[in-house]
Amino acid sequence: MSGSDRFQSHDYYLLDELLDEEHLIARDAVRSWVTQEVSPIIEDFAERHACPTHLFKALAEIGAFGPSLPAKYGGGGMDEIAYGIIMQELERGDSGIRSMASVQGSLVMYPIYRFGSEEQRLKYLPKLASGEFVGCFGLTEPDQGSDPGGMHAHFREDGDHVILNGSKMWITNSPIADVAVVWAKNEEGVIQGMILEKDMPGFSAPEIHGKWSLRASITGELVFEDVRVPKANILPGVSGLKGPLSCLSKARYGIAWGAIGAAMDCYDSALRYSLEREQFGRPIGGFQLTQKKLAEMITEITKAQLLAWRLGTLANDGKASPAQISMAKRNNVLMALEVAREARQIHGGMGITNEYPIMRHMMNLETVLTYEGTHDIHLLITGMDVTGLNAFK
Ligand code: TGC
Ligand code: FAD
């Protein structure tokens, strides 16, 4: 932001007492990294619609890529709460920065770790973990967004290679990616994952321009024109839609935590502004209508924190269901968007400027509400879980 980052955390229900030493150390390290490295530059990058690619290596150094993946494969070897709280701190800086970490750790390293061969793990994970390689995840297509099971990308066998055709749309980091985890159908129509490298002939990744949201994150397409991919690059450990959806569960979990960070930043800014800004001879924080906004904001943030924390304990025990993750992603992202909108009102006209982080967070959260499953898709997942009736089919 143009002004200095004066963020102060607000822990209304003393949730820090639920965290252990490792969580607090990770949280504080990422928080101060964001204050020093992200806050001073992020408004400028967002305004220029440019991605701060120089942060990739630094994100690797602070352990933002795969915090809960095993250390043997370049992950942080920490638990799911540590992973969540790191995402919270990154998104306090910017949703696009958290996206960098989500995609690299949960959508690229995780499938290679979980579904890859040992050879694939050893070849790709150290370079991804160190930030030497940037990865991207290709599931969405121009005509298949919420319904990825109907994807058109397909491949056929050709000796020890497969020939891949089709395209992917809205792919975070694709124009700068060294490797892409791509999901496509085989000749039997079964979805499989494979690892593409940027130099493979017939493979291109044009950038998508003109986004008013997530402007400090780079987004593109993936285009496959008879790309010859070695069979050795196919992920052997999974087939079917549950492969990519399992990765999404991991990333959606991180977003459930991440969105809280954006909300905390907006609330903190609004609280401070309400105490400093005077109208009618007194701080606007003294007016009941401002207090209603602030009280509701901190109430909703606290509820979201409790939801994320409990989800984290379930995830640590291997018990967090996809539907529970959907509920938290859906609730916490809308909560953050509504907090951003209220914070914008409290800042009055100043709320639309880059002196404050509010509009940037608000615009970012419009994407977060849509990617990794839209708000309504997550509602239908909850609906299916509680009724046993599938509204998709
Ligand atoms: P359905 O028949 O329900 O399921 C197919 C198979 O998948 C299993 N499954 C899951 N497994 C793990 N985790 C989950 N979350 C799972 N959800 C379902 C399911 O049990 C089944 O397994 P099996 O063994 O019986 O085959 O599939 P469907 O075709 O009816 O679709 C269901 C639906 C609509 C919920 C799903 O397709 C969906 O979630 N759609 C939303 C698509 C989406 O989220 N796309 C995100 C793209 S990636 C992205 O946005 C990255 S943003 C990156 C950044 O942060 O910058
Ligand atoms: P659609 O699926 O066309 O949905 C349009 C509307 O219809 C939505 O409101 C939706 O809720 C509604 N709708 C659809 N089906 C139903 C239904 N059954 N019932 C009720 N309503 C329904 N994808 C990747 O694979 N990798 C990435 O890295 C990635 N990064 C992204 C980055 C950005 C900036 C953005 C914007 C998107 C990204 N995505 C990525 C894609 C994202 O996951 C999709 O945009 C999202 O899943 C929705 O798909 P869609 O945009 O095609 O919308």
Side-chain angles (χ1 to χ4, degrees):
M1 70 197 73
S2 301
S4 61
D5 181 355
R6 295 198 279 157
F7 176 73
Q8 287 192 331
S9 179
H10 303 275
D11 183 14
Y12 202 73
Y13 260 41
L14 310 184
L15 289 164
D16 277 5
E17 293 179 7
L18 299 174
L19 304 176
D20 66 25
E21 193 68 17
E22 184 179 70
H23 303 143
L24 293 172
I25 290 171
R27 197 266 315 272
D28 291 346
V30 178
R31 183 171 291 172
S32 66
W33 180 82
V34 165
T35 303
Q36 285 162 28
E37 305 295 334
V38 177
S39 299
I41 61 151
I42 197 67
E43 293 290 348
D44 176 52
F45 275 84
E47 204 169 318
R48 289 189 287 110
H49 203 333
C51 178
T53 49
H54 66 281
L55 294 181
F56 260 100
K57 288 234 163 73
L59 279 165
E61 278 161 23
I62 61 167
F65 296 156
S68 59
L69 295 182
K72 180 183 172 198
Y73 296 107
M78 291 187 282
D79 71 1
E80 297 297 332
I81 291 181
Y83 162 41
I85 211 148
I86 288 172
M87 295 304 117
Q88 172 190 289
E89 293 305 315
L90 293 178
E91 196 145 1
R92 207 280 294 175
D94 190 80
S95 301
I97 304 297
R98 196 266 308 133
S99 256
M100 281 181 174
S102 293
V103 170
Q104 188 88 350
S106 300
L107 296 180
V108 181
M109 290 171 62
Y110 175 72
I112 295 174
Y113 158 67
R114 170 120 185 248
F115 305 125
S117 64
E118 191 62 9
E119 205 178 13
Q120 290 167 345
R121 291 169 169 177
L122 296 175
K123 180 171 179 190
Y124 293 106
L125 291 179
K127 287 183 175 161
L128 288 161
S130 67
E132 183 183 340
F133 272 7
V134 174
C136 70
F137 175 87
L139 179 64
T140 305
E141 299 188 352
D143 296 327
Q144 302 296 143
S146 298
D147 180 19
M151 68 174 64
H152 303 290
H154 61 281
F155 61 91
R156 63 180 165 81
E157 301 212 10
D158 185 26
D160 55 3
H161 283 69
V162 297
I163 310 291
L164 175 67
N165 278 287
S167 65
K168 299 287 174 182
M169 180 79 176
W170 293 118
I171 308 303
T172 299
N173 289 339
S174 76
I176 57 167
D178 301 284
V179 295
V181 169
V182 170
W183 303 90
K185 286 182 175 168
N186 66 18
E187 287 166 270
E188 283 77 49
V190 177
I191 294 171
Q192 289 190 271
M194 62 184 75
I195 307 164
L196 265 63
E197 297 185 13
K198 68 175 177 190
D199 295 331
M200 289 177 171
F203 177 32
S204 58
E207 184 174 352
I208 295 172
H209 296 279
K211 300 188 330 255
W212 285 111
S213 173
L214 231 60
R215 287 172 64 81
S217 168
I218 186 165
T219 316
E221 300 171 50
L222 296 173
V223 181
F224 321 117
E225 291 170 322
D226 287 331
V227 186
R228 276 174 66 77
V229 185
K231 278 185 180 164
N233 284 33
I234 291 180
L235 300 175
V238 75
S239 60
L241 191 56
K242 65 176 178 291
L245 290 179
S246 308
C247 308
L248 292 182
S249 282
K250 190 92 180 151
R252 290 165 177 172
Y253 169 87
I255 291 175
W257 281 86
I260 297 169
M264 286 164 67
D265 205 35
C266 293
Y267 170 75
D268 173 62
S269 184
L271 178 61
R272 189 175 314 104
Y273 192 84
S274 77
L275 299 175
E276 292 174 355
R277 173 73 175 170
E278 292 191 4
Q279 288 294 288
F280 300 96
R282 58 187 168 122
I284 58 170
F287 299 124
Q288 289 180 355
L289 289 175
T290 309
Q291 290 187 5
K292 177 175 187 290
K293 289 184 176 66
L294 290 166
E296 288 178 350
M297 286 158 77
I298 191 65
T299 303
E300 292 309 313
I301 289 171
T302 303
K303 285 154 66 180
Q305 286 170 328
L306 287 165
L307 197 59
W309 180 81
R310 176 60 183 148
L311 187 67
T313 63
L314 289 172
N316 278 344
D317 293 342
K319 290 195 296 196
S321 71
Q324 286 168 332
I325 293 170
S326 282
M327 179 184 282
K329 190 268 186 186
R330 179 175 184 273
N331 182 80
N332 290 8
V333 176
L334 185 64
M335 176 283 298
L337 187 53
E338 289 176 347
V339 164
R341 287 172 180 156
E342 294 289 80
R344 213 290 302 151
Q345 287 203 63
I346 289 175
H347 286 77
M350 289 307 292
I352 69 159
T353 71
N354 66 4
E355 285 293 309
Y356 296 91
I358 315 297
M359 274 307 276
R360 179 172 47 78
H361 281 309
M362 193 197 299
M363 292 194 298
N364 284 342
L365 288 162
E366 289 291 344
T367 286
V368 184
L369 197 73
T370 286
Y371 70 18
E372 302 270 8
T374 70
H375 191 66
D376 285 346
I377 290 297
H378 289 297
L379 175 134
L380 294 175
I381 291 171
T382 305
M384 177 161 60
D385 199 46
V386 297
T387 64
L389 303 172
N390 188 337
F392 298 110
K393 289 173 179 160

